Amino acid sequence: MNPELIRKMQEISPEEQSYLDGNATVNKELYTSEIKFEIDRNRFLKEGRLITVRPHSRFIDFPAHRHNYIEIMYVCQGTITHYLDGKEVTLQKGDLLLLNQHVQHGVRRAEYEDIGINFIALPEFFDIPLQMLKENNTLAEFLVNTLRQNHPVSHYLVFRLGENQAIENLMENMISSMLNDE
């Protein structure tokens, strides 16, 4: 991945700096206005947008939570470990996690070199790709059967893509264009 883009994503955000300074709990006000910890898409998506990106917060265990959007995490560098259904799912560089909305999960502490990017997507974002999928396949089945439901059914899909150059280039272009469009 482009070293300049990695450097940009490695910049320590004010939120991350507070964790490094000793704040041992996630600032939930950044993510939701509700008592329950469901991260609100309206905190991140500009009006009229169906998708955006946000670097994954590092330096703290991110407690169990849900979101009212579909999360796609891509690991640009290092490793990031999620816990779902009582098991740990460790993502390596190049791995992609597609996580249904409203599914409870948490994330282990990531360090400086662990760079993950979260795509925050509304279910409507997948309408056009779904129309293009004419055959039944794992991805199409997951999208059709679960992403439009308000309760968790199939929780997640993990794609172990390794260092696939074509995927890395695609992700780099998407991340770069969305980060530069802020």
Side-chain angles (χ1 to χ4, degrees):
M1 189 163 277
N2 179 312
E4 187 174 317
L5 185 57
I6 290 289
R7 274 194 301 282
K8 182 174 183 169
M9 291 187 294
Q10 277 184 320
E11 290 175 6
I12 296 173
S13 70
E15 175 191 8
E16 291 174 326
Q17 188 60 55
S18 78
Y19 302 144
L20 289 171
D21 291 342
N23 186 350
T25 58
V26 169
N27 181 355
K28 292 180 181 178
E29 291 177 8
L30 295 173
Y31 300 96
T32 187
S33 60
E34 300 178 20
I35 294 172
K36 61 181 182 174
F37 195 16
E38 180 170 276
I39 299 174
D40 185 4
R41 63 189 178 199
N42 295 320
R43 297 286 176 135
F44 305 108
L45 279 168
K46 292 179 183 175
E47 190 172 333
R49 288 280 180 95
L50 297 177
I51 190 168
T52 192
V53 296
R54 184 176 196 278
H56 172 69
S57 298
R58 300 166 292 174
F59 312 120
I60 194 163
D61 283 330
F62 210 92
H65 63 282
R66 303 175 192 275
H67 351 93
N68 60 3
Y69 55 85
I70 297 157
E71 178 180 9
I72 303 167
M73 175 180 265
Y74 178 74
V75 179
C76 303
Q77 176 177 292
T79 62
I80 298 180
T81 300
H82 289 251
Y83 51 96
L84 297 136
D85 289 337
K87 62 183 169 186
E88 290 193 350
V89 177
T90 300
L91 304 174
Q92 309 287 329
K93 178 181 179 184
D95 287 350
L96 189 78
L97 170 70
L98 179 58
L99 185 63
N100 194 5
Q101 57 184 341
H102 307 293
V103 172
Q104 186 167 340
H105 74 289
V107 188
R108 300 277 181 236
R109 178 186 171 115
E111 298 302 331
Y112 181 77
E113 295 294 327
D114 301 319
I115 304 295
I117 194 84
N118 290 319
F119 290 85
I120 296 166
L122 299 182
E124 298 81 36
F125 174 78
F126 297 95
D127 286 349
I128 292 172
L130 277 173
Q131 293 170 8
M132 296 169 65
L133 293 171
K134 303 221 187 280
E135 299 176 19
N136 281 342
N137 62 48
T138 303
L139 180 58
E141 205 172 293
F142 179 84
L143 293 173
V144 169
N145 292 330
T146 66
L147 297 180
R148 293 294 186 144
Q149 297 180 20
N150 286 328
H151 59 280
V153 179
S154 291
H155 295 100
Y156 61 92
L157 291 175
V158 175
F159 297 91
R160 304 279 182 198
L161 304 172
E163 295 190 35
N164 181 310
Q165 195 61 51
I167 298 294
E168 188 172 313
N169 289 342
L170 173 66
M171 298 307 287
E172 182 177 320
N173 289 333
M174 290 174 58
I175 293 165
S176 182
S177 68
M178 288 185 202
L179 284 177
N180 292 327
D181 189 40
E182 293 178 337

